[in-house]
Amino acid sequence: MQVWEIQYNAANAFLYEATKPQESNIGYLNQNTGGRILYPQLYAGLSIKNLYPGVDAEFKIDAGGKLKIDYRCASSTHAWTINFSIAGFDKTYLNSTGSICMQSRYGVVTDSIPASFSGEGFTQPIPVTYLEIQPNTFGLIIESNTVDMNC
């Protein structure tokens, strides 16, 4: 089993909540109490509120079963504040498409460029790409100077 950690650097003390409840058809025994737990609530998402000033994040499982992260920014300038470190892999790097690759003895996990949004209702896409700040530490940069920085 691969265990890894994502640490948001200089983040606020944020609140999180499980989202996107799903039907459960599993059960298991609680080894501490010996009790049976049937049909526990499952969730396909996790929302983080106030990760940085003006920035929320949503972790979700897409239709293909892959983890995706969306950032919701009060304005496109808030995307610059997102900065995180990854631990638990042998090597992390950006590939030729700009995705983060995390290599371990089990293979390579790839995280494609996140969806980022701003504006009323968070419907205005922010064209961002990953930037490797130092080994195992990444941030976001805005791809184009044509973005309205006041939306």
Side-chain angles (χ1 to χ4, degrees):
M1 173 167 62
Q2 179 71 43
V3 177
W4 60 284
E5 176 183 353
I6 183 169
Q7 171 75 44
Y8 283 96
N9 302 312
N12 288 330
F14 51 81
L15 300 173
Y16 60 90
E17 71 175 300
T19 60
K20 300 183 184 344
Q22 296 186 333
E23 185 175 314
S24 170
N25 59 3
I26 62 171
Y28 59 92
L29 292 176
N30 183 324
Q31 293 181 356
N32 295 326
T33 66
R36 292 183 339 172
I37 299 175
L38 295 176
Y39 314 116
Q41 185 64 58
L42 300 177
Y43 297 90
L46 176 73
S47 288
I48 298 176
K49 305 293 183 194
N50 199 33
L51 178 62
Y52 293 98
V55 177
D56 295 342
E58 183 178 357
F59 292 71
K60 58 187 176 182
I61 306 298
D62 70 13
K66 294 185 178 185
L67 176 66
K68 278 308 303 158
I69 305 171
D70 287 348
Y71 294 103
R72 308 229 185 297
C73 303
S75 72
S76 49
T77 57
H78 288 87
W80 292 92
T81 63
I82 300 168
N83 176 309
F84 57 92
S85 299
I86 299 171
F89 288 94
D90 298 329
K91 180 180 179 183
T92 60
Y93 58 93
L94 293 179
N95 67 14
S96 61
T97 65
S99 297
I100 296 176
C101 297
M102 298 161 279
Q103 184 176 327
S104 76
R105 66 180 175 185
Y106 300 107
V108 176
V109 175
T110 302
D111 179 30
S112 59
I113 297 167
S116 301
F117 304 94
S118 68
E120 185 68 31
F122 301 109
T123 55
Q124 165 107 22
I126 304 171
V128 298
T129 189
Y130 281 126
L131 170 70
E132 186 171 19
I133 297 168
Q134 61 185 35
N136 303 317
T137 301
F138 301 88
L140 298 179
I141 59 171
I142 297 175
E143 292 180 336
S144 168
N145 292 331
T146 62
V147 174
D148 178 4
M149 301 299 263
N150 297 309
C151 57

